[in-house]
Amino acid sequence: MNTSKRLAIFQRLAEAIPEPTTELNYTTPFELLVAVVLSAQATDKGVNKATAKLFPVANTPQAILALGEVGLKEHIKTIGLFNSKAANVIKLCQTLIEKHGGEVPRDRAALEALAGVGRKTANVILNTAFGEPTIAVDTHIFRVANRTGLAAGRNVLTVEKQLDKTVPKLFKKDAHHLLILHGRYICVARKPRCEACCIADLCEFKDKNLT
């Protein structure tokens, strides 16, 4: 895919999605961190439902530790894998207090050292909480990147590196959410809504569903 086509794709996505951001509800970097850890293999809607009850009670590392693992589980038991997620959140709270003064670090290595946090989650925090131009490749971005021809790759790291190289600088900060939201609502997995797609004529997907 050539540079001008990439630029046109992101220009159109930005017009179609004027305020690209996460659909997780949060007010601080710590709340976002907890929400993203809880969102693994769960829907944003389900996480928001749980955190709407959790955050008014405990939205700092100290408050969650005071709640304890059993108390935390009570608030997040509607989310899949809540037992392991509760254990990870407790551990990451302990690390934040012991090593970072209770604050979420703005550093990839430090973030990835936290329990329950991998490269994808670290990228989300760096991008959404701190405005860094990182791209966290989830299932939506992986699908959209490969399907459209924006970035081809058999694994998420390859796709991330391709996007990091090729996304126009002007759209680098918003690319993560533009691609996720496009994948979540238009370029869906089973039957992409090509007839409603703002980049259908630019997309290089061979099996477009235009009817």
Side-chain angles (χ1 to χ4, degrees):
M1 182 177 285
N2 62 44
T3 304
S4 60
K5 188 184 277 191
R6 289 178 196 280
L7 181 61
I9 284 174
F10 280 100
Q11 284 173 332
R12 289 195 199 172
L13 288 176
E15 287 171 10
I17 310 167
E19 294 183 14
T21 189
T22 181
E23 293 185 309
L24 290 168
N25 295 332
Y26 75 99
T27 57
T28 66
F30 176 72
E31 286 187 357
L32 178 64
L33 176 61
V34 171
V36 176
V37 169
L38 295 179
S39 72
Q41 298 179 54
T43 65
D44 287 0
K45 187 176 179 181
V47 172
N48 287 339
K49 190 173 179 181
T51 57
K53 295 178 181 177
L54 171 65
F55 290 157
V57 176
N59 71 338
T60 65
Q62 294 85 351
I64 284 184
L65 287 180
L67 200 60
E69 192 170 330
V70 174
L72 178 57
K73 284 180 185 178
E74 277 301 305
H75 286 86
I76 66 169
K77 62 186 178 183
T78 54
I79 301 173
L81 307 173
F82 73 93
N83 283 314
S84 60
K85 289 176 181 178
N88 281 333
V89 170
I90 291 294
K91 287 177 189 172
L92 74 82
C93 286
Q94 290 169 335
T95 303
L96 289 177
I97 290 170
E98 290 168 7
K99 296 188 176 180
H100 305 289
E103 298 295 321
V104 177
R106 189 173 180 167
D107 174 81
R108 178 188 300 284
L111 285 166
E112 289 188 32
L114 298 171
V117 178
R119 184 179 180 86
K120 183 175 75 172
T121 296
N123 276 336
V124 172
I125 302 305
L126 290 170
N127 178 263
T128 308
F130 300 122
E132 301 282 349
T134 54
I135 301 173
V137 179
D138 69 349
T139 54
H140 295 300
I141 292 183
F142 185 77
R143 178 177 67 253
V144 171
N146 273 287
R147 188 181 271 170
T148 60
L150 277 169
R154 293 185 178 182
N155 59 65
V156 293
L157 186 57
T158 301
V159 169
E160 181 192 325
K161 287 181 176 179
Q162 289 265 356
L163 289 171
D164 195 47
K165 277 185 195 173
T166 59
V167 171
K169 190 175 180 180
L170 179 64
F171 298 102
K172 201 78 172 286
K173 187 170 77 70
D174 289 333
H176 171 71
H177 291 114
L178 288 173
L179 293 173
I180 281 182
L181 294 169
H182 185 65
R184 188 171 286 169
Y185 296 107
I186 301 295
C187 196
V188 294
R190 292 187 181 179
K191 193 177 179 183
R193 299 177 57 221
C194 302
E195 78 289 349
C197 178
C198 65
I199 60 168
D201 58 317
L202 299 171
C203 171
E204 297 182 354
F205 184 44
K206 292 178 181 177
D207 301 316
K208 289 175 189 169
N209 175 40
L210 294 168
T211 56

